[in-house]
């Protein structure tokens, strides 16, 4: 035993001696090289590649612009960074190599433009690029939240602010009345139709938003609503780097609805009783009268009140962790990351759990072949039956919350329209979505100079499962009328698509002429299936929704299938003369399966010109404050095929069963519905867009920006047309109508202060968009049923217009042509809404309805400021929406109270004692069924972030290469002319509330 131990120790000693000798020899041949890389303004550059020339040995600069590596004495270092000229510097005896990178990092920045990239100065189309710095301005785990207010003309509306919900995206407003107006999403060069909530923002390198016809023309049929290109991070040359990003935060509703307290609520119910029901005396007493229910009366006597919003709202914790490793050599680059997000919502039972696993590799085999592959897997869970927010807000403070046994009282006010918001929250619900996305490419340099070929392949598989079980401790699953309780629902859906694109590109420079030509062949196919099952009556709640076959009654099954295909050809030519005169010509032909056999294919051309007028002799070197001035002009056509499949085919429905004869068995049947007839002539909806743009840089590049003015016409609108029922059907999809859209976008960047230790940068964005309907069905008539009016905006409020409140002593009658006295407004009385007599005939009828205003904002704006002082940084982002018409929920007293429910605190409603009120009387009977509207403005403090980068001398002692901490708050406050709403992006006051989120972040690089 001792002899064997001696041999083992001897072998270990020999190995250690060999390692020491090797390291000694290495130390003799290599020295430690350090340095810092900055730009011409002495600002540190992060991520600069530093490579020992002729080897794979390299690294990257850290957050301070510093780097360290081992290299042979006298070797040459190669410094490369996007937007700067590469530099080669020989290592001196000191081992310290500091570098100042030269070049215009803005104009020479490479921008992804679709099926390729181009220098920013060579662009002819209208687009905007959002880089890592801008994406880090907001610290939420939702990617689109980080883009709000960052791009002119790009509106992101968070209608549902719950965790895990997608936003509504619009680029330059709406063009279509019935078809989809959402932009095309392209993820790592592959069209992506999945949820953007599945993407981890920490994996995104940059986002490019394509807006005008020339920029989006390369995507043809799917580009009429704009294109969003998302590029995820890839590996870079250098030693392996491990990065940890972590965040922990707490959220609460940004604001609540301030409702009436107990005493104010009783006074309000008394006002309702005397003004609507003509109660008086004891009838208005809370105990002896009937102004509150028996249940409320019991709590009133006991002095028990409930704050219902405190039951449904809560403080919620968010944790977000990501660990990644990246690096590579000249031939192999890699990146892998794993992230875990747990976000509790500010509403009871709302939550999001997300796991992201990402891996990609780029392999260069030789001078002519490079292959890359990237994979992303996401699992997202966000189940849970949430309480009804509206019912919580409108509950009486004296309503009963729970009974003696601890169960939720179904109707706290004994009122079936406003029930206990918590009565189903004990249900079991699991909602799981899985998303696998694969993107791969092969780049081949062909034997002909300047000729290359690239093949892209993408595959996306998504599955979704929802299982819900209402047990006996819920209202929907209760036992009643002798029936066994329990109700279950399960649904499954599966989606997959593949995209295959083949791109041939030729680039040449001949003297002062430069051109590149791109040809594309692309195909895409999608398939979606779904199934669901419901049942009621289960022996036990223990099996939840897992034993659907044991359901006793109301069993139903459904299933579905949908498939689409797209085939495309594209050609693009870019030409540049002297780098000053640039032209782009694009043509794309698309064929889509959703269209009829007569019109499956369409061709979409576009052209764009750019002129670097600042390079002309009459400006260059003569106007000292002008650094760059470029004019852009584009015009082209783009298509929209975003309609539901099978609209060109006749469709039979089978949701009705018939019984033939007494006691017969119900059998399935099929019938042609009123909208079941297809149109084989259905074709592409086409948008023709013109754009004039100016890009500029002034005062030694301290002021830069762009100004774009555009106008678009959309023809052959895809919409439902009403036809005489004598045809056997009443509606059919057709290409009819025309819309127009025009607007202006301004993006301005300024460097206010640029000292060695202190920097201050500002970005201001302003945009407005005006849409209108040019034609509907070719007959010049409006479509009142759909609120579509020729010459007016696409989305409007059309209703009676309230201009005041009727008062005592007002003239309620008018004299008609026969001399008779008639009511000017049916049901008018003191405290009623006074409606506008639009046609001036003296009385109110249906002809007095008018267009109140557009549901789209007049303009939007944002302001971002970034400050840095040594190792500290501070950023703030404000966003504003102005002139958008919304339902005035506070003024619509009838929809609030139903004659029995709670209302807003300090509401200025009419009573005989308060004739100067701004809100109608509680006794007002809205016989015309009109709404109440208000033009709304709101400015949100979207994000404030304060951070600190720990100095390198401290970091090195800890054995890491960089540490950064930050504290941020999202949705701090909203300034607005309305207050009683939970989400300013939603027209309904009781929507899921916007969350104020306080986050602490920690980034560590190893």
């Amino acid at each position: 035993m001792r002899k064997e131990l001696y041999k083992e120790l001897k072998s270990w000693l020999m190995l250690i001696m060999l390692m020491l000798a090797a390291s000694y020899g290495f130390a003799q041949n290599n020295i430690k090289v350090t340095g810092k890389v900055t730009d011409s303004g002495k600002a540190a550059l992060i991520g600069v590649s530093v490579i020992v020339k002729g080897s794979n040995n390299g690294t990257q600069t850290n957050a301070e612009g510093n780097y360290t590596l081992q290299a042979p004495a006298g070797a040459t270092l190669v410094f490369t960074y996007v937007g700067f000229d590469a530099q080669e510097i020989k290592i001196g005896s000191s081992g310290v190599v500091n570098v100042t990178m030269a070049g215009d990092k803005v104009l020479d920045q490479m921008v992804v433009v679709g099926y390729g990239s181009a220098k920013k100065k060579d662009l002819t189309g209208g687009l905007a690029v959002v880089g890592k710095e801008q994406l880090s301005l907001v610290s939420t785990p939702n990617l689109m939240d980080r883009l709000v207010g960052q791009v002119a003309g790009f509106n992101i509306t968070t209608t549902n602010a719950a965790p895990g919900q997608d936003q509504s995206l619009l680029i330059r407003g709406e063009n279509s009345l019935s078809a989809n107006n959402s932009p095309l999403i392209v993820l790592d060069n592959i069209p992506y139709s999945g949820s953007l909530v599945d993407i981890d923002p920490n994996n995104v390198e940059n986002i490019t938003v394509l807006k005008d016809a020339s920029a989006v023309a390369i995507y043809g049929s799917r580009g009429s609503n704009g294109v969003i290109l998302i590029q995820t991070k890839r590996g870079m040359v250098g030693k392996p780097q491990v990065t940890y990003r972590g965040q922990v935060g707490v959220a609460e509703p940004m604001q609540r609805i301030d409702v009436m307290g107990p005493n104010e609520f009783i006074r309000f119910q008394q006002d309702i009783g005397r003004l609507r029901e003509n109660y008086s005396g004891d009838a208005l007493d809370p105990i002896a009268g009937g102004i509150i229910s028996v249940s409320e009366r019991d709590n009133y006597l006991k002095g028990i009140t409930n704050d219902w919003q405190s039951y449904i709202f809560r403080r919620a914790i968010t944790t977000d962790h990501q660990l990644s490793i990246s690096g590579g050599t000249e031939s192999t680059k890699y990146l892998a990351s794993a992230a875990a997000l747990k976000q509790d919502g500010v509403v009871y039972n709302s939550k999001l759990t997300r796991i992201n696993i990402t891996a990609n590799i780029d392999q260069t085999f030789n001078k002519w072949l490079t292959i890359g592959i990237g994979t992303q897997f996401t699992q997202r869970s966000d189940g849970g039956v949430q309480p009804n927010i509206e019912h919580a807000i409108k509950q009486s403070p004296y309503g009963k919350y729970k009974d003696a046994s601890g169960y939720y009282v179904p109707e706290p006010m004994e009122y079936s329209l406003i029930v206990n918001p918590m009565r189903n929250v004990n249900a079991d619900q699991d909602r799981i979505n899985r998303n696998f996305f694969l993107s791969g490419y092969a780049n081949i340099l062909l034997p002909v100079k300047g000729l290359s070929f690239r093949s892209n392949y993408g595959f996306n598989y998504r599955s979704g499962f929802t299982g819900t079980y209402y047990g006996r401790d819920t209202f929907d699953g209760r036992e009643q009328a002798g029936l066994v309780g329990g109700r279950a629902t399960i649904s499954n859906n599966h989606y997959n698509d593949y995209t295959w694109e083949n791109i041939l590109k030729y680039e040449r420079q001949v003297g002062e002429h430069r051109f590149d030509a791109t040809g594309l062949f692309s195909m895409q196919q999608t398939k979606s299936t779904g199934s669901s099952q419901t049942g009621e009556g289960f022996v036990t709640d223990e099996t939840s929704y897992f034993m659907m076959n044991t359901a006793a009654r109301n069993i139903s099954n459904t299933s579905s299938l949908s498939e689409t295909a797209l085939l495309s050809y594209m050609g693009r030519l870019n030409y540049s003369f002297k780098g000053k005169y640039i032209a782009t010509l694009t043509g794309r032909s698309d064929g889509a399966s959703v269209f009829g056999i007569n019109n499956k294919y369409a061709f979409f051309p576009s052209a764009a010109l750019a002129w670097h007028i600042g390079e002309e002799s009459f400006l260059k070197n003569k106007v000292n404050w002008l650094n760059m001035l470029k004019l852009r002009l584009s015009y082209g056509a783009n298509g929209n095929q975003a309609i539901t499949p099978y609209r060109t085919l006749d469709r039979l429905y089978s949701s009705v069963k018939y019984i033939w004869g007494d006691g017969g068995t119900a059998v399935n049947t099929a019938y042609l519905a009123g909208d079941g007839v297809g149109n084989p002539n259905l074709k592409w909806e086409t948008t023709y867009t013109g754009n004039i743009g100016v890009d500029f840089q002034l005062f030694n590049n301290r002021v830069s920006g762009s100004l774009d003015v555009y106008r678009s016409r959309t023809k052959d609108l895809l919409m439902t047309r009403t036809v005489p029922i004598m045809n056997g059907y009443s509606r059919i999809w057709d290409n009819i109508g025309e819309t127009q859209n025009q607007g202006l976008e301004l993006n301005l960047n300024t460097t206010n202060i640029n000292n060695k230790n202190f920097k201050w940068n500002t970005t201001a964005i302003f945009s407005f968009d005006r849409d209108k309907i040019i034609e509907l069905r070719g007959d010049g008539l409006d479509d009142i049923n759909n609120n579509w009016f020729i010459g007016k905006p696409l989305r409007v409020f059309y209703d009676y217009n309230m201009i005041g409140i009727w008062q005592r002593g007002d003239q309620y009658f008018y004299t008609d042509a026969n001399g008779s006295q008639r009511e000017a407004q049916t049901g008018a009385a003191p405290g009623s809404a006074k409606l506008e007599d639009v046609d001036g005939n003296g009385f109110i009828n249906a002809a007095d309805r008018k267009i109140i205003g557009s549901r789209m904002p007049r303009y939007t704006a944002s302001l971002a400021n970034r400050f840095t002082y040594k190792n500290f940084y501070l950023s703030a982002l404000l966003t504003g929406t102005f002139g958008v018409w919304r339902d005035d929920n506070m003024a619509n007293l009838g929809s609030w109270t139903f004659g029995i429910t709670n209302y807003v605190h300090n509401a200025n409603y009419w009573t005989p004692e308060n004739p100067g009120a701004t809100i109608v009387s509680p006794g007002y009977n809205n016989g015309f069924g009109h709404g109440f509207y208000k033009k709304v403005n709101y400015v949100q403090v979207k994000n404030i972030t304060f951070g600190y980068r720990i100095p390198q001398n401290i970091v090195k002692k800890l054995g890491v290469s960089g540490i950064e901490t930050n504290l941020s708050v999202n949705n701090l406050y909203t300034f607005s002319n309305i207050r009683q709403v939970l989400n300013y992006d939603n027209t309904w006051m009781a929507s899921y509330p916007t969350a104020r989120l306080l986050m602490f972040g920690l980034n560590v690089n190893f």
Side-chain angles (χ1 to χ4, degrees):
M1 179 70 180
R2 185 178 298 177
K3 187 175 181 180
E4 292 176 355
L5 181 60
Y6 172 76
K7 289 181 178 180
E8 188 74 19
L9 287 172
K10 184 177 179 180
S11 62
W12 274 103
L13 285 170
M14 291 179 66
L15 179 60
I16 291 172
M17 291 177 67
L18 288 171
M19 291 176 65
L20 288 173
S23 63
Y24 177 75
F26 179 79
Q28 291 294 308
N29 295 324
N30 290 275
I31 63 172
K32 182 180 180 181
V33 183
T34 62
K36 185 172 184 177
V37 183
T38 60
D39 61 14
S40 57
K42 300 303 179 184
L45 295 178
I46 306 170
V48 177
S49 176
V50 186
I51 303 294
V52 179
K53 189 174 182 179
S55 74
N56 292 327
N57 181 24
T59 186
Q60 291 180 338
T61 57
N62 59 21
E64 305 291 330
N66 297 318
Y67 70 93
T68 301
L69 80 165
Q70 297 287 331
T76 298
L77 298 182
V78 180
F79 297 83
T80 57
Y81 194 59
V82 174
F84 291 88
D85 299 328
Q87 292 197 42
E88 296 185 6
I89 300 177
K90 190 174 183 179
I91 300 171
S93 57
S94 66
V96 178
V97 180
N98 295 320
V99 178
T100 299
M101 302 291 284
D104 191 331
K105 62 181 178 180
V106 176
L107 292 181
D108 286 341
Q109 177 185 358
M110 298 301 293
V111 176
V112 176
V113 294
Y115 306 120
S117 59
K119 289 183 178 181
K120 195 169 185 179
K121 67 181 181 181
D122 294 334
L123 296 176
T124 57
L127 57 82
V129 180
V130 182
K132 290 184 292 186
E133 182 180 4
Q134 290 171 276
L135 289 173
S136 64
L137 274 176
V138 180
S139 54
T140 67
N142 185 300
L143 178 60
M144 288 298 105
D145 280 346
R146 300 193 181 192
L147 280 180
V148 174
Q150 305 276 28
V151 178
F154 183 25
N155 292 328
I156 302 172
T157 305
T158 309
T159 306
N160 186 347
Q165 299 299 312
D166 280 308
Q167 291 104 319
S168 173
L169 310 178
L170 287 178
I171 297 176
R172 292 184 169 180
E174 294 185 336
N175 297 313
S176 180
L177 288 170
S178 299
N180 196 324
N181 286 287
S182 298
L184 171 69
I185 309 296
V186 178
L187 177 62
D188 289 338
N189 301 309
I190 300 299
Y192 175 75
S193 60
S195 172
L196 292 174
V197 179
D198 289 340
I199 300 175
D200 181 5
N202 292 322
N203 277 338
V204 176
E205 179 72 19
N206 59 63
I207 296 175
T208 303
V209 180
L210 310 181
K211 295 184 283 187
D212 77 337
S214 175
V216 305
I218 198 164
Y219 290 103
S221 64
R222 293 168 291 180
S224 62
N225 299 317
V227 181
I228 301 174
L229 308 179
I230 302 174
Q231 293 293 119
T232 59
K233 296 176 180 178
R234 312 288 293 191
M236 298 179 66
V237 174
K239 66 179 182 180
Q241 288 194 349
V242 178
T243 301
Y244 166 77
R245 296 180 179 88
Q247 288 184 314
V248 60
V250 59
E252 64 180 3
M254 183 179 67
Q255 61 190 46
R256 298 187 180 191
I257 303 295
D258 189 12
V259 296
M260 292 178 170
N263 295 330
E264 189 179 12
F265 173 75
I266 293 297
R267 289 196 301 272
F268 179 59
Q269 293 303 314
Q270 290 172 336
D271 287 337
I272 292 175
R274 68 189 179 101
L275 296 174
R276 182 181 298 178
E277 307 297 338
N278 294 318
Y279 291 165
S280 61
D282 289 344
L284 295 175
D285 185 80
I287 304 302
I291 61 172
I292 57 177
S293 67
V294 175
S295 295
E296 292 173 276
R297 210 172 300 157
D298 184 47
N299 275 349
Y300 180 84
L301 286 170
K302 297 176 181 178
I304 299 174
T305 61
N306 289 294
D307 178 5
W308 292 91
Q309 291 183 70
S310 68
Y311 298 141
I312 67 166
F313 296 146
R314 63 183 180 181
R315 283 192 173 91
I317 303 297
T318 295
T319 58
D320 189 9
H321 304 279
Q322 188 204 51
L323 189 65
S324 65
I325 180 171
S326 64
T329 64
E330 291 292 341
S331 59
T332 305
K333 305 178 187 68
Y334 60 88
L335 181 144
S337 69
L341 167 70
K342 187 178 185 301
Q343 181 182 16
D344 290 332
V346 296
V347 175
Y348 187 91
N349 261 358
S350 62
K351 60 182 179 296
L352 170 64
T353 301
R354 186 182 69 196
I355 296 174
N356 293 84
I357 299 175
T358 302
N360 59 56
I361 186 170
D362 300 279
Q363 178 66 49
T364 300
F365 291 94
N366 46 50
K367 293 182 179 180
W368 59 270
L369 178 61
T370 300
I371 291 178
I373 189 170
T375 60
Q376 299 183 47
F377 172 77
T378 303
Q379 178 169 298
R380 172 165 49 92
S381 305
D382 57 357
V385 175
Q386 299 172 26
N388 188 302
I389 298 175
E390 178 189 355
H391 292 179
I393 292 172
K394 294 181 177 180
Q395 285 293 342
S396 162
Y398 291 110
K400 286 196 172 182
Y401 181 48
K402 290 184 178 181
D403 61 21
S405 301
Y407 292 100
Y408 296 113
V409 175
E411 297 177 6
M413 299 180 296
E414 301 170 17
Y415 186 50
S416 60
L417 292 181
I418 303 296
V419 300
N420 196 320
M422 306 288 284
R423 67 181 188 174
N424 282 318
V425 296
N426 289 332
D428 299 334
Q429 186 177 76
D430 296 309
R431 187 163 49 235
I432 301 172
N433 295 276
R434 296 183 177 92
N435 185 351
F436 175 75
F437 182 78
L438 170 72
S439 61
Y441 72 89
N443 265 340
I444 302 175
L445 299 179
L446 298 175
V448 178
K449 183 180 179 180
L451 187 63
S452 63
F453 174 78
R454 179 183 175 105
S455 185
N456 296 328
Y457 180 80
F459 176 78
N460 190 200
Y461 171 76
R462 302 195 299 271
S463 68
F465 168 80
T466 300
T468 306
Y469 182 78
Y470 295 92
R472 289 160 176 80
D473 58 349
T474 67
F475 181 81
D476 287 2
R478 71 194 186 282
E479 293 187 345
Q480 54 180 332
L483 298 176
V484 178
R487 180 162 71 90
T489 302
I490 59 172
S491 64
N492 289 276
N493 60 79
H494 300 272
Y495 170 91
N496 67 79
D497 67 46
Y498 78 85
T499 303
W500 186 29
E501 300 175 331
N502 294 283
I503 307 156
L504 191 64
K505 189 170 186 179
Y506 182 63
E507 300 178 89
R508 284 300 302 270
Q509 178 86 34
V510 180
E512 295 180 326
H513 304 270
R514 182 185 180 279
F515 62 90
D516 68 74
T518 302
L520 166 76
F521 168 72
S522 171
M523 62 176 66
Q524 183 182 36
Q525 186 169 340
T526 74
K527 182 178 181 179
S528 178
T529 61
S531 62
S532 64
Q533 183 178 10
T534 63
E536 297 181 17
F538 294 86
V539 176
T540 176
D541 292 337
E542 297 300 320
T543 58
S544 189
Y545 56 78
F546 294 105
M547 296 182 65
M548 296 294 294
N549 60 308
T550 63
R553 63 185 186 277
N554 293 338
I555 300 172
S556 66
N557 300 281
T558 61
S559 60
S560 62
L561 168 67
S562 177
E563 294 179 299
T564 67
L566 189 69
L567 189 66
S568 306
Y569 307 87
M570 186 277 299
R572 178 177 64 188
L573 175 65
N574 292 320
Y575 170 76
S576 173
F577 177 63
K578 293 184 177 181
K580 294 190 297 183
Y581 313 105
I582 308 168
T584 300
L585 299 175
T586 307
R588 176 159 174 155
S589 175
D590 288 290
S593 63
V594 297
F595 292 118
I597 191 171
N598 300 329
N599 293 297
K600 286 196 179 294
Y601 284 88
F603 179 72
F604 305 103
S606 75
L609 301 172
W611 176 23
H612 274 284
I613 189 173
E615 294 297 311
E616 297 294 347
S617 58
F618 57 83
L619 287 178
K620 190 173 184 180
N621 300 324
K622 293 183 179 180
V623 182
N624 295 331
W625 50 267
L626 180 64
N627 302 109
M628 187 274 287
L629 181 64
K630 182 175 71 172
L631 304 181
R632 292 179 282 105
L633 175 65
S634 67
Y635 184 81
N638 305 110
N640 187 358
Q641 92 286 8
I643 61 171
T644 306
Y646 314 121
R647 299 301 98 181
T648 62
L649 304 176
D650 295 342
R651 301 171 303 281
L652 293 177
Y653 290 69
S654 58
S655 58
V656 177
K657 292 186 177 183
Y658 286 105
I659 297 178
W660 301 100
D662 295 338
T665 302
V667 295
N668 290 326
T669 187
Y671 66 95
L672 184 67
D675 62 348
V677 172
N679 182 357
N681 296 316
L682 208 60
K683 61 182 180 181
W684 300 84
E685 181 179 284
T686 306
T687 299
Y688 302 86
T689 303
N691 190 99
I692 300 175
V694 179
D695 300 326
F696 56 87
Q697 290 188 4
L698 314 173
F699 307 113
N700 198 24
N701 298 326
R702 297 191 65 157
V703 178
S704 64
S706 63
L707 175 67
D708 283 85
V709 179
Y710 62 89
R711 182 176 182 177
S712 65
R713 283 275 184 126
T714 302
K715 299 182 178 182
D716 297 325
L717 294 178
L718 292 164
M719 55 191 292
T720 304
R721 180 175 188 173
T722 303
V723 297
I725 192 64
M726 65 183 67
N727 292 298
Y729 54 93
S730 59
R731 300 179 304 280
I732 187 172
W733 277 85
D734 205 350
N735 292 100
I736 48 177
E738 181 180 343
T739 62
Q740 177 181 291
N741 209 328
Q742 58 188 12
L744 177 145
E745 300 167 352
L746 174 65
N747 184 82
L748 186 65
N749 305 293
T750 63
T751 301
N752 307 312
I753 299 176
N754 189 21
N755 295 330
K756 180 179 179 181
N757 292 327
F758 181 68
K759 293 180 177 61
W760 173 23
N761 298 306
T762 299
T763 298
I765 290 174
F766 173 86
S767 63
F768 71 80
D769 183 89
R770 302 287 184 270
D771 58 34
K772 68 177 180 179
I773 298 172
I774 302 300
E775 184 55 78
L776 286 171
R777 294 178 173 87
D779 52 12
L781 299 178
D782 297 328
D783 186 339
I784 297 178
N785 290 332
N786 287 309
N787 287 349
W788 294 337
F789 301 91
I790 295 174
K792 301 300 180 181
L794 275 63
R795 315 294 176 189
V796 297
F797 287 108
Y798 177 72
D799 204 348
Y800 297 95
N801 182 35
M802 176 181 166
I803 58 175
I805 297 177
W806 289 101
Q807 302 291 340
R808 292 178 174 177
D810 285 349
Q811 178 58 258
Y812 298 103
F813 300 93
Y814 77 102
T815 303
D816 64 14
N818 298 320
S820 302
Q821 291 286 312
R822 297 182 59 183
E823 282 187 298
Q825 179 180 319
T826 304
S832 299
K834 181 183 288 186
L835 305 180
E836 181 182 0
D837 182 12
V838 175
D839 59 9
N841 62 1
F843 61 94
I844 305 300
N845 60 12
D848 290 309
R849 290 177 296 170
K850 63 179 290 187
I851 295 173
I852 306 296
S854 173
R855 297 171 184 259
M856 302 300 290
R858 293 288 293 175
Y859 59 92
T860 60
S862 66
L863 182 68
N865 283 282
R866 292 173 290 276
F867 307 87
T868 60
Y869 176 72
K870 294 185 178 180
N871 293 327
F872 295 92
Y873 62 89
L874 174 69
S875 66
L877 174 63
L878 282 77
T879 62
T881 300
F882 304 92
V884 56
W885 281 91
R886 296 280 174 82
D887 290 287
D888 189 351
N889 296 293
M890 184 173 176
N892 197 348
L893 191 149
S895 71
W896 261 91
T897 67
F898 299 100
I900 195 171
T901 59
N902 207 346
Y903 190 42
V904 181
H905 172 62
N906 279 339
N908 185 23
Y909 60 86
W910 189 95
T911 64
E913 300 78 23
N914 184 33
T918 57
I919 300 173
V920 296
S921 165
Y924 174 49
N925 180 17
N926 188 353
F928 289 89
H930 66 86
F932 298 77
Y933 310 96
K934 189 171 185 176
K935 185 182 286 188
V936 175
N937 307 308
Y938 56 97
V939 175
Q940 293 184 306
V941 183
K942 195 67 180 178
N943 177 270
I944 297 176
T945 298
F946 177 73
Y948 178 66
R949 298 183 180 96
I950 298 177
Q952 285 296 300
N953 58 341
I954 298 177
V955 168
K956 290 179 181 178
K957 294 178 181 179
L958 299 175
V960 296
S961 58
I963 299 178
E964 178 183 327
T965 62
N966 57 70
L967 184 67
S968 66
V969 57
N970 298 315
N971 303 316
L972 177 63
Y973 189 77
T974 298
F975 301 91
S976 179
N977 60 336
I978 58 171
R979 292 305 308 165
Q980 302 297 348
V981 293
L982 296 174
N983 176 4
Y984 285 90
D985 280 353
N986 196 305
T987 59
W988 175 229
M989 57 89 182
S991 60
Y992 193 102
T994 299
R996 179 186 293 118
L997 178 62
L998 180 66
M999 297 283 282
F1000 172 76
L1002 174 66
N1003 299 335
V1004 182
N1005 295 319
F1006 299 91

